[in-house]
Amino acid sequence: MSDPERTARVKKFRRLPIDGQSLKRLIEAGLIWLRTNQEIVNSLNVFPVPDGDTGTNMTLTMQAAWNEVKDSGVRNLGEMAALISKGALMGARGNSGVITSQILRGFSRSVNDKATLDVETLVKAFGEARDTAYKGVVRPVEGTILTVIKEVAIATEAALGPVKDPIEMLEVAVKAADEAVKKTPDLLPVLKQAGVVDSGGKGLFFILEGMLRHVYGDSLETPTMSLQPMSAMNLQGALEEVEEGQDYEIVVDFVPLGELDLGSFYGRLEEMGTSIQVGEGEGMYRMHIHVPTEKRYEPIDYIMGIGTVTKVAIENLLAQMEEIQKSAQIKFATVEPGNIAVVVVSPGQGLSKIFASLGVAAVVAGGQSMNPSTQDILNSFENLPTDKVIILPNNKNIILAANQAKEVTVKKVFVVPTRTVPQGLTAMLALLPDGDLEAVAEKMIKAMSAVKTGEITIATRTVEIDGVSVKDGQVIALLDGKLALAAESVEQGVMDLLEKADAGGYELITLFYGAGMAHAEANRIKDVIRGKYSNLEIEVQEGGQPHYQFIISIE
Amino acid sequence: MGEETTTLGGIHISPTAVATIAYHAVLQSYGVVGLAPKNLADGIVSTITREPLRGITVRYKGEDIDIDINIIIEYGTRIAAVAESVASAVRFHVEKALGLHVNSVNVHVAGLRISDSD
């Protein structure tokens, strides 16, 4: 909409009294705008939280409010507000939905006896909405939707006087909500850690902004161009969602020449492909897109025209998909009767494949927080055509079950007490299938101590162990099973861990990346390591293990 | 069962500890304005208690934990939605802190507090 058109529209709004029907339209606009941006709100959820779908819950709550009034012809403001409040109450979903319904309830009670909305009424209603929202909880958590409605109430109260009409006041409210949302990470550390703003607060902002966009006559159907912190970009799980025309994944890091115009940037990218994400951090931008084969260089060429490209990552998603489907079948070593069979416990598909390639006869799925039973281990080798078996538990909590399996079988079993996956892999190198069982097991035990194991994961609670204090959600690194350090990012965790392990004095570092880690990201970290340890051999392998971003072998 | 045997010895987690975790989860849940004593004999005078064990019962059944919570909800909120988020918040926080499986969380709405009638 052009500026003169917009001005005319706003003027018209200013002239007409805001009655029940106008309020109904505003609620509808709030709902549509929230629904349009629902996924943005959902994506702000901090893992792990119990209320995991804020955007959906708030949208359903607003939808219920709208359903209550959509056929109503009521002109009186108070009556309309009461209907909206009732609808929201009946349809409130989840924590954020309940708070939304309370905000509407407070608003509604405040305008109860008004036929139309003037500026004083609006400000009073925001105040009442805040008071009602805060009454619903014993221990209000700041940095949430509650803070946002509070800041809106404060800002509108302060603006009363100079600001003389409700539309202008709505502008004040939207601006205050926007600022309050941006401040939420300072009030709630868990948000800061995750690099996001509060989801419920953002949802409330969208509702208010939708109302204002309706007044301006702006589109409510196209989602906001979003620029997220780089750390919050979700570049994982891309393979599960590959569709027609998404043959290549392109990630470009760049520094724009001037101010980046998000609108035209998105517009141009949308012509090329899908799954567009743009992230920002420390003056750098990262763009992610899926494009068809013939357009695989277009985003790079385009971005080179508007800035300095620092790094490009291209992945052939189609080929990777085929690879994955092909490799789902693991080929284990066939055991000759009388030879030694090795059975391992493996926490991930990728690791199982590597073990199989080293001559393992069978794999038992298991690892951290998913310990296999004695029976599982027993089943894995009972039917092998040999009576000589070596078990590699690869986790300290599974050694016991492996030993029990040894007790209950008639076969001759040795448990080589490997406590980590890298120990198991190193031990496998000492396997001689037709050797003497005891001698081979001895050799394996000797071999496994030559490797150091690093593990990178996310802390699930705040704790202090061995003088290392760790906050819930922080990246932590374990060296040979002991908590070694905490870090702010996976990359930093890996680097600090290698430092601590004196990696410089070794020859080979292998990174086994976990199920939640993108291949491109693992490769990027490999490059960072190479930058520091240029004399070492560095390999990246798909481990597929859950919980651990990386299992690292240093030998 | 709240007990775990490690190579170093046993760890026992008392019901009070579980109740305390649940208590904090409850008080941060939107819509809950207080906990109520388990029964009237427990305290007719104080309907809103600040003491976790007064409104929360924790029972161990084998490996599982069962938690009963008596809450007072703000009038005007959707009670079903509030109770549901209380149950999921309590389950989440107890399982996260203790690593033990919570079998059931039963939420009893013992009363409503009316701050503003409509």
Side-chain angles (χ1 to χ4, degrees):
Chain A
M1 183 170 284
S2 67
D3 279 350
E5 273 178 81
R6 173 189 281 207
T7 316
R9 192 181 157 98
V10 174
K11 250 191 197 149
K12 192 184 115 203
F13 250 93
R14 290 216 165 113
R15 242 187 358 257
L16 294 172
I18 300 176
D19 63 359
Q21 287 303 308
S22 325
L23 181 65
K24 174 177 144 180
R25 294 284 157 231
L26 288 170
I27 285 290
E28 185 189 21
L31 162 67
I32 296 173
W33 188 235
L34 175 64
R35 189 165 55 206
T36 303
N37 291 291
Q38 184 179 327
E39 284 313 315
I40 292 180
V41 178
N42 278 340
S43 75
L44 292 176
N45 275 302
V46 183
F47 176 81
V49 287
D51 187 19
D53 35 16
T54 307
T56 311
N57 284 338
M58 287 181 84
T59 306
L60 288 169
T61 305
M62 285 296 287
Q63 180 76 52
W66 167 244
N67 286 348
E68 191 71 27
V69 297
K70 66 176 183 215
D71 301 322
S72 161
V74 171
R75 290 228 149 261
N76 182 287
L77 179 77
E79 281 172 42
M80 179 60 76
L83 287 174
I84 291 165
S85 162
K86 181 179 160 218
L89 165 64
M90 304 291 282
R93 286 268 224 116
N95 229 352
S96 46
V98 174
I99 303 176
T100 309
S101 76
Q102 279 292 88
I103 290 172
L104 291 171
R105 178 165 166 257
F107 189 97
S108 148
R109 203 178 34 242
S110 176
V111 301
N112 188 27
D113 53 353
K114 307 280 186 207
T116 58
L117 190 72
D118 58 36
V119 69
E120 284 87 11
T121 311
L122 180 62
V123 171
K124 219 177 119 240
F126 277 134
E128 187 74 33
R130 166 198 53 195
D131 294 347
T132 308
Y134 269 86
K135 271 179 198 153
V137 64
V138 181
R139 228 177 256 169
V141 182
E142 291 300 338
T144 62
I145 184 170
L146 289 173
T147 315
V148 176
I149 185 66
K150 181 174 81 183
E151 295 291 332
V152 166
I154 292 172
T156 48
E157 272 156 25
L160 192 60
V163 173
K164 292 205 167 37
D165 89 356
I167 300 303
E168 222 176 303
M169 195 52 93
L170 185 58
E171 285 169 353
V172 171
V174 170
K175 188 159 163 278
D178 190 22
E179 279 162 12
V181 168
K182 286 187 184 128
K183 275 195 299 197
T184 53
D186 297 328
L187 295 168
L188 203 54
V190 64
L191 298 174
K192 194 156 224 170
Q193 243 170 48
V196 295
V197 294
D198 179 63
S199 52
K202 188 79 180 177
L204 180 60
F205 163 75
F206 278 131
I207 294 171
L208 292 168
E209 195 190 37
M211 295 176 172
L212 194 58
R213 289 177 74 91
H214 169 67
V215 175
Y216 289 159
D218 291 341
S219 159
L220 293 169
E221 306 286 352
T222 331
T224 309
M225 317 288 170
S226 71
L227 192 61
Q228 45 192 336
M230 233 186 241
S231 56
M233 285 179 81
N234 178 21
L235 301 182
Q236 291 145 20
L239 284 177
E240 285 103 72
E241 297 156 17
V242 174
E243 291 164 15
E244 200 82 7
Q246 303 196 341
D247 311 345
Y248 277 83
E249 179 187 68
I250 318 285
V251 179
V252 180
D253 286 0
F254 65 103
V255 182
L257 286 176
E259 188 78 16
L260 183 66
D261 176 0
L262 266 189
S264 67
F265 188 62
Y266 263 87
R268 185 72 188 85
L269 290 174
E270 271 163 8
E271 293 165 16
M272 300 176 205
T274 54
S275 300
I276 299 163
Q277 290 186 52
V278 181
E280 187 212 1
E282 293 164 15
M284 281 261 304
Y285 285 79
R286 176 169 295 159
M287 185 275 328
H288 166 276
I289 191 169
H290 288 175
V291 292
T293 310
E294 67 275 12
K295 289 191 178 171
R296 65 191 179 281
Y297 300 125
E298 267 186 42
I300 306 165
D301 286 339
Y302 165 60
I303 292 173
M304 282 182 77
I306 59 165
T308 311
V309 171
T310 55
K311 199 159 148 203
V312 174
I314 302 184
E315 287 194 38
N316 186 335
L317 298 178
L318 275 190
Q320 283 185 32
M321 285 287 281
E322 280 163 21
E323 186 75 12
I324 285 172
Q325 277 149 6
K326 226 190 299 165
S327 63
Q329 296 285 336
I330 297 178
K331 217 172 157 297
F332 291 110
T334 30
V335 180
E336 299 293 327
N339 274 3
I340 300 171
V342 182
V343 176
V344 301
V345 180
S346 160
Q349 183 79 0
L351 292 168
S352 302
K353 248 173 27 194
I354 298 166
F355 272 118
S357 74
L358 292 173
V360 160
V363 160
V364 183
Q368 198 61 32
S369 83
M370 43 171 188
N371 296 351
S373 66
T374 302
Q375 191 64 45
D376 294 337
I377 298 173
L378 206 56
N379 290 345
S380 70
F381 65 77
E382 280 294 71
N383 291 326
L384 294 176
T386 180
D387 59 353
K388 292 190 220 161
V389 178
I390 288 177
I391 307 174
L392 305 179
N394 296 335
N395 186 307
K396 69 173 178 350
N397 298 330
I398 302 172
I399 296 176
L400 191 65
N403 277 322
Q404 276 164 354
K406 174 186 168 176
E407 299 298 320
V408 293
T409 181
V410 296
K411 296 193 177 194
K412 205 158 173 265
V413 174
F414 256 92
V415 177
V416 174
T418 52
R419 300 161 77 89
T420 66
V421 170
Q423 284 184 351
L425 290 168
T426 315
M428 276 311 290
L429 299 176
L431 172 67
L432 268 178
D434 54 356
D436 175 62
L437 180 63
E438 221 158 299
V440 170
E442 288 286 314
K443 266 193 179 160
M444 283 185 158
I445 291 173
K446 219 181 231 166
M448 75 185 218
S449 57
V451 65
K452 271 192 183 171
T453 303
E455 286 157 308
I456 304 287
T457 185
I458 306 291
T460 51
R461 64 197 153 123
T462 303
V463 74
E464 186 171 331
I465 302 173
D466 299 338
V468 181
S469 66
V470 171
K471 280 202 282 306
D472 187 4
Q474 238 185 346
V475 172
I476 51 173
L478 293 90
L479 184 59
D480 286 329
K482 283 207 179 65
L483 182 59
L485 52 95
E488 290 312 318
S489 68
V490 171
E491 178 189 322
Q492 193 204 339
V494 171
M495 295 310 290
D496 290 355
L497 178 81
L498 291 177
E499 171 102 44
K500 192 145 190 170
D502 286 328
Y506 289 77
E507 290 166 5
L508 171 66
I509 296 172
T510 314
L511 302 171
F512 301 97
Y513 62 91
M517 174 71 56
H519 188 227
E521 175 65 6
N523 268 327
R524 191 187 66 76
I525 289 176
K526 171 189 164 183
D527 291 343
V528 176
I529 299 173
R530 178 162 292 156
K532 187 170 172 196
Y533 300 97
S534 52
N535 56 332
L536 300 192
E537 193 83 30
I538 300 152
E539 279 185 17
V540 170
Q541 302 261 18
E542 183 189 354
Q545 69 277 2
H547 309 308
Y548 290 92
Q549 277 67 25
F550 282 114
I551 295 176
I552 305 169
S553 144
I554 309 160
E555 52 199 302
Chain B
M1 108 188 124
E3 259 179 78
E4 206 176 307
T5 310
T6 71
T7 48
L8 297 173
I11 297 172
H12 179 79
I13 297 163
S14 77
T16 320
V18 177
T20 308
I21 294 165
Y23 172 72
H24 286 279
V26 169
L27 287 199
Q28 286 199 359
S29 294
Y30 192 85
V32 181
V33 290
L35 284 151
K38 275 160 252 172
N39 53 50
L40 277 179
D42 248 15
I44 303 164
V45 187
S46 79
T47 44
I48 296 172
T49 171
R50 292 261 167 205
E51 209 183 311
L53 287 178
R54 297 284 290 285
I56 299 175
T57 320
V58 176
R59 276 164 297 138
Y60 293 137
K61 193 173 71 193
E63 297 271 303
D64 295 334
I65 304 177
D66 292 299
I67 303 173
D68 281 73
I69 299 167
N70 295 273
I71 53 171
I72 296 166
I73 288 183
E74 174 72 16
Y75 171 82
T77 57
R78 189 165 178 238
I79 291 167
V82 171
E84 215 171 279
S85 32
V86 167
S88 80
V90 166
R91 176 186 296 274
F92 174 79
H93 285 286
V94 171
E95 289 188 346
K96 190 175 94 161
L98 302 178
L100 296 171
H101 177 67
V102 174
N103 181 49
S104 67
V105 179
N106 301 308
V107 178
H108 308 273
V109 180
L112 298 180
R113 185 188 72 183
I114 302 179
S115 307
D116 313 279
S117 56
D118 292 295

